[in-house]
Amino acid sequence: MNSDPDPFEEGQRAARQNMPAEANPYRDGSEEHALWAAGHEKVAGPPREANESEGG
């Protein structure tokens, strides 16, 4: 059994717990960071820009 955490699954779990994408615990630029972000986006959807207006 593999005891290493799966960054993709961790990202999905974080999104289900309403954690922001900025909570990614992995070093920016690493493969794990990208996998975590992909998992988070799959559940939460793509990140929104802070200045993005709705219906604009």
Side-chain angles (χ1 to χ4, degrees):
M1 183 169 164
N2 188 354
S3 62
D4 292 337
D6 182 340
F8 187 81
E9 289 179 9
E10 287 183 338
Q12 288 180 318
R13 189 175 314 116
R16 287 188 200 101
Q17 295 173 354
N18 295 318
M19 292 176 67
E22 293 79 21
N24 190 329
Y26 296 100
R27 184 178 50 84
D28 193 13
S30 68
E31 182 178 350
E32 290 87 358
H33 187 276
L35 287 168
W36 191 99
H40 190 278
E41 186 173 326
K42 180 178 173 125
V43 174
R48 293 185 57 147
E49 295 296 326
N51 61 355
E52 182 179 324
S53 62
E54 291 190 23

